[in-house]
Structures are given as structure tokens and as C-alpha cells.
């Protein structure tokens, strides 16, 4: 969804190499085009083009630009094709100002029309270009960069994280609304960025600006103006600094071919880290338990699938009515909420626009809890309570380790809520089971060679295995571009069975437990229609092994209640290896971005 970085270095050091390095760490947010602008000798220099960072850098040598302050952008196109002219940074009429932007300016057409009438000439098809034109217009009336940006954000509507430079002022000015922006304090200089992996190498002390605050970076430090345009006291700013404990290495591939594979392999550590949050979860549950009689999970995509597992757990273990709503649909269900409802928002990024809008709506009536991976993000500031999943940075666009961490947090929450804290012991064994699955994945690599030609897949499971089927299908779709559909195993015969033949492989998820026999009947149903069955189940299950064409065996045996935390791993690997077989980059699926900051 686009990534931005701004940096000003002390001691006149050249900023372009650092901007290039930092923006490269945000490539998971957009990879249609890249651009950098610096100021040198009272002149704005811009290098930008469409293509991924490597391609554009080979062509333009992006690090070779003079100047000690500048801005950078990776784009995920929304308004206008990926092209050089539509790439950021964009400039004003007189090329005095350059701007990078993440978000969408909803009223840009009206603004553009007015500016065109005033004689402005636009170069691109983007919504963003109105921003530098407005800033330039106000600066031409005598305002400085900060004040011109204030005037501009009073006019634009929508979502934005903006960083701007001007050739006449040695500073970077940034602001945000409904889009993420952090500010970083480093030894060499000062930063703004869409997300912390961009600046981990250079700055550990982080500030999280509030909406419509104006952040001003100079060689001397960071100043912030509140939304009424008053400077915030430096002591208050200092008290808000948070030091991040993520290391730069965490955002590197460390010998793996792709981040996705690295992150799949980090899942046992991620779950262990999540489990260290038990006491915080206990405190939250103790505070809320007697106050609520209903729970509602709200999330998108993979986080929605983690939420569905939460419904199975809470209804069966705690007997509390629980529903799950897709965040973008939440606004249609707000009438029946009350202060006895706890609304739990699941979001790895903490910045998903649909989820943030749902938190705002929920806060009006109900208690809100956010389960989030990235510290200090908007969801954590909006919700009444926060649980951090502590999975570490996830760079691959497809969520893997953050999903398992969400599940681990939801399991702990459900066990504690249902007075079954003793069951957390079962969770403590999960990291070991995950490592066991990861020990030998050669059979999945083999199977992926056969399945890479398929056009459609079904994934089926019952009970706790149903959300795994949905998540397995989503992973397949997003990184292999093969159509995958997750179905409740018992529901297949109510329609989709008509589609099943020898051309559609069916992945059957069937851990030992109450549902196993019924799922085996569903396996037989698809097999008798000619489907190629790939089953994930227990190594001790002779029936499943003898009936399936291919099997991935999970050992030691885990019950279906715990199975989601382990059985998803072979499905993530299946998608990963099929993507590799199809020569696709699993870290950067087409049309997708890591953090979806538009509705
Ligand atoms: C899929 C994926 C997306 C996200 C969804 C919500 O692999 O990553 O479906 O799960 O966009 O994102 P968060 O959890 O950041 O709110």
C-alpha cells in the first residue's frame, strides 16, 4: 500500500544510500515503482521509475545523489498505472517542493479541477500530485513549509502519511491521518517512515505521531506540532519515545531464499514469544470477565481466519456467545452492540484501514481489545486493551508466523477466560511440534511438483480444522495464483461436490479426534468422484494413509483442538513450494501489499 521514508543526516553526510537501504526494507508495502528526492545546493534532485527496486536501481543508481536530507517512496499503484510519471516523489508547479504519500486523497478530483482553473499544470494521473501543488500554492502566498502543510491537510480528505521537502528549507515535514507513520531518533540523524523495519538499522528510539500532528525533522532533532498547531513540549515528546527491541537482522533473509520461508521456519520461536504474554492476558481477562456476556471478533484475511478459531474455542470452552465479523462489513452490524460486548480486533499490522474504522465504530458502544503484532500502531492506540503477539517483524506479504502467534494469543485468552489455564501446558508443547513438522519437508516439495499444474483446489476440514482449510486456501490463492477454496467438509456435498473431478485436488485436513470419522466419509465422497486427495493427518492413522493419494503425516499425535497450530504449517509450505515451482516470488504476490491502509 506504498511505503515512505524521510531522513535528515547530521554532519552533511550523503542521505541517498541510507534512503535507498531504508526504502528497500519497505518493498513489502509496494513494488510497482520507486523514487528518491534529495535537496542539494538549493535544488531538488529526483530519481524515480517504475519497476522493482533492483531494476530501477540498476538503471538509475539511486544511491548516487547528493544532499543530506531527502525522501523516498515505494509505490503500490491505486490512481494511475505504474509508470515513471506516476511514481513518487511528486513536485509542485515550480519544482520547489517534493512530496511522498501513502494513502488515498478522496477529494483529489475537485481539488485538481480548482487548481487547473487557477493555472496549475499536472504531470501525473495520481491523487497525490494535488498535495505538492497545494503546498506550493500556500508557500507562494508566504507561508513556510510547516504552515503550508497545515493548510493543505485542512483541505484534503482521505488517508495520508506524507513527507515533504522544500529546496529553501533544511528540514523534512511529515504528517499522517489514517495511514501509519513513525518518527525515529538515530545517532546519525532523524527519520520518518511507514514502518519500523525501514529504520531498524539506524534508529531504535521511536515516536508514534498522532493524527494530523506535524512532525518536523531538522539536523538538530525532532519537533512536533499538535493538531491545533502548537509545538508540543520537548519533555512530553521525550516521555513518549519507545525503544524497539527488534534487531536489523530480524528484517533480513539470513540465508533463506525468501522471507516467507524464513518466517515459516521462525514459527516455533514466534509462538514461544507469544506465550510469554500470559500474565498480561490474565490481567485483561480478570478485568473484563464479569463485565461481558458476548464476544465479537473483527478482522480481515488471515486474521479473520485466526478469529474463526477463536469462536470455536470460546463457545465450546467458555460457553460465551461469540461471533466473527469481517472488518469491512462491521459497520452493518453495529446496532446490536452494547457495553456487555467485548469486541476483539485481530491485526498483525495494527494499521489495516478496515479494522481501524471498525475500532472507531466499536468504541462508541463496547469494550475493545486489539491483538496486534506491531508495537505502537494505530490499533493499539485506539483499543481499550492490547495484547501484543510478539512474533517479530514479518516481511513476506503472506502472513505466516504472525498468524500462528495470533492463534497462540487467542488460545491463551480462551483457556484463561474459560478457567482452563491448565490447558496452556498443551500450548507449551506446540513449538516443539512445529519444529518436528519442519524437520523434513521434502515430501511437500515433491507433492508441489505434481500440483503446480492444477487450476483449482479444495481444502476441507471440520470443526477446528475448518478455519485451517480456509487459511490454507487463502495462502494458495495469494502466492500461487491458483484458485483455492476452503470448505467445511460436511458442506461440500451441498453444492461444490458438483465441481469435483480428477482435475481438482482436494486437501483434507483431518487430525485425530471426534470429527475424524466424519471427515473420512467426506474424503471418500471426493475420492469416488476422481479427486486426487492430499491428506494432512496423524502418522498413526492407517485408514487416512491408505485412502489418500498423498499424505503429510504429523507426529507426535495432537488432538483436533490444538491441531490448528500445527496443521497449518504443511499448508503454508505447500503454497510456498507450488509458488517456487511456478517461478513466482512468494514474498511479493501481485496486486497485494502487506498492510492495507485503504478501505
Ligand atoms: C494474507 C494476509 C492478509 C492479512 C489482512 C489483514 O496472508 O496477510 O489477508 O491477513 O490484510 O491484515 P492485518 O492482520 O495486518 O490486519
Amino acid at each position: 500500500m506504498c511505503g515512505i521514508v524521510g531522513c535528515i543526516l547530521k554532519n552533511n553526510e550523503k542521505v541517498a544510500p541510507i534512503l535507498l537501504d531504508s526504502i528497500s526494507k519497505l518493498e513489502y508495502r509496494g513494488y510497482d515503482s520507486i523514487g528518491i528526492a534529495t535537496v542539494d545546493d538549493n535544488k531538488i534532485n529526483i530519481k524515480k521509475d517504475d519497476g522493482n527496486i533492483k531494476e530501477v536501481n540498476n538503471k538509475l543508481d539511486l544511491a548516487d545523489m547528493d544532499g543530506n536530507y531527502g525522501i523516498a517512496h515505494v509505490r503500490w499503484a491505486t490512481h494511475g498505472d505504474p509508470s515513471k510519471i506516476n511514481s513518487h516523489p511528486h513536485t509542485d508547479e515550480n519544482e520547489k517542493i517534493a512530496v511522498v504519500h501513502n494513502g488515498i486523497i478522496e477529494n483529489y478530483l475537485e481539488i485538481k479541477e480548482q487548481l487547473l482553473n487557477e493555472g496549475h499544470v499536472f504531470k501525473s494521473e495520481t491523487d497525490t500530485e494535488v498535495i505538492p501543488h497545494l503546498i506550493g500554492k500556500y508557500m507562494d502566498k508566504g507561508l513556510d513549509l510547516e504552515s503550508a502543510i497545515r493548510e493543505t491537510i485542512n483541505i484534503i480528505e482521505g488517508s495520508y502519511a506524507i513527507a515533504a521537502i522544500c529546496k529553501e528549507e533544511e528540514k523534512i515535514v511529515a504528517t499522517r491521518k489514517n495511514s501509519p507513520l513513525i518518527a525515529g531518533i538515530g545517532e546519525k540523524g532523524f527519520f520518518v517512515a511507514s514502518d519500523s523495519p525501514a529504520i531498524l538499522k539506524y534508529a531504535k528510539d521511536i515516536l508514534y505521531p498522532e493524527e494530523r500532528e506535524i512532525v518536523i525533522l531538522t539536523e538538530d532533532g525532532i519537533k512536533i506540532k499538535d493538531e491545533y498547531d502548537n509545538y508540543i513540549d520537548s519533555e512530553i515528546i521525550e516521555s513518549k519515545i519507545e525503544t524497539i527491541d527488534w534487531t536489523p537482522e530480524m528484517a533480513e533473509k539470513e540465508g533463506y531464499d525468501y522471507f516467507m520461508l524464513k518466517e515459516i521456519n521462525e514459527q516455533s520461536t514466534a509462538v514461544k514469544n507469544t506465550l510469554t504474554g500470559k500474565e498480561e492476558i490474565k490481567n485483561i481477562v480478570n478485568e473484563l470477565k464479569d463485565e461481558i456476556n458476548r464476544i465479537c471478533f473483527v478482522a480481515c484475511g488471515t486474521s479473520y481466519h485466526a478469529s474463526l478459531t477463536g469462536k470455536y474455542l470460546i463457545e465450546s470452552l467458555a460457553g460465551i456467545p461469540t461471533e466473527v465479523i469481517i472488518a469491512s462489513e462491521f459497520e452493518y452490524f453495529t446496532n446490536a452492540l452494547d457495553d456487555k460486548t467485548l469486541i476483539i480486533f485481530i491485526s498483525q499490522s495494527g494499521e489495516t484501514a478496515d479494522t481501524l474504522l471498525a475500532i472507531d465504530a466499536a468504541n462508541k458502544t463496547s469494550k475493545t481489545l486489539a491483538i496486534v503484532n506491531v508495537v505502537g500502531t494505530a490499533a493499539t492506540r485506539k483499543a481499550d486493551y492490547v495484547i501484543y503477539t510478539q512474533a517479530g517483524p514479518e516481511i513476506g506479504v503472506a502472513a505466516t508466523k504472525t498468524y500462528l502467534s495470533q492463534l497462540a494469543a487467542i488460545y491463551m485468552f480462551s483457556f484463561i477466560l474459560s478457567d482452563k489455564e491448565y490447558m496452556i501446558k498443551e500450548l507449551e508443547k506446540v513449538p516443539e511440534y512445529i519444529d518436528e513438522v519442519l524437520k523434513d519437508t521434502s515430501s511437500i516439495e515433491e507433492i508441489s511438483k505434481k500440483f503446480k499444474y492444477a487450476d483449482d483446489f479444495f481444502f476441507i476440514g471440520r470443526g477446528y480444522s475448518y478455519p485451517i482449510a480456509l487459511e490454507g486456501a487463502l495462502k494458495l490463492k495469494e502466492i500461487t495464483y491458483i484458485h483455492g477454496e476452503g470448505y467445511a467438509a460436511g458442506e461440500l456435498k451441498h453444492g461444490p461436490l458438483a465441481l469435483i473431478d480428477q482435475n481438482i485436488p482436494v486437501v483434507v485436513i483431518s487430525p485425530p479426534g471426534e470429527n475424524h470419522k466424519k471427515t473420512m466419509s467426506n474424503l471418500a465422497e471426493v475420492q469416488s468422484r476422481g479427486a486426487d486427495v492430499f491428506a494432512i493427518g496423524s502418522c498413526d492413522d492407517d485408514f487416512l494413509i491408505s485412502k489418500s493419494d498423498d499424505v503429510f503425516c504429523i507426529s507426535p499425535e495432537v488432538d483436533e483442538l490444538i491441531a490448528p497450530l500445527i496443521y497449518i504449517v504443511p499448508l503454508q509450505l505447500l503454497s510456498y513450494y507450488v509458488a517456487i515451482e511456478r517461478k513466482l516470488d512468494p514474498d511479493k504476490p501481485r496486486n497485494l501489499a502487506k498492510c492495507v491502509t485503504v478501505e
Side-chain angles (χ1 to χ4, degrees), residues 300-303 346-349 352 397-399 406 474-475 478 596:
C300 314
T302 290
S303 302
I346 312 283
S347 174
Q348 70 79 21
S349 66
T352 301
V397 166
Q406 290 170 344
L474 179 65
K475 286 284 96 74
E478 62 180 330
V596 185

